[in-house]
Amino acid sequence: MPPKTTDLADDSDIDEPVADETASSARRVVAAYATDADECRMLFSMLGITPGDAS
């Protein structure tokens, strides 16, 4: 039997900011796979990261 969706994750930590290094890596991956700038912005938003310096 599959687990209940309430058993899968604790949503209490969703609003925590991600580390700068993690966000930078996520930006590179999203930018590489997004089909256009709008999709890239949407995915950044969904991940809770903002477009920033791609250092």
Side-chain angles (χ1 to χ4, degrees):
M1 174 183 305
K4 297 177 193 173
T5 56
T6 56
D7 295 340
L8 295 177
D10 180 6
D11 293 337
S12 64
D13 64 343
I14 288 179
D15 293 329
E16 291 183 20
V18 295
D20 290 340
E21 185 176 322
T22 303
S24 180
S25 295
R27 284 185 199 100
R28 281 192 291 268
V29 171
V30 168
Y33 287 96
T35 57
D36 57 27
D38 287 332
E39 182 179 54
C40 192
R41 281 189 292 270
M42 177 192 63
L43 292 170
F44 283 167
S45 175
M46 292 172 77
L47 291 171
I49 55 177
T50 58
D53 296 330
S55 41

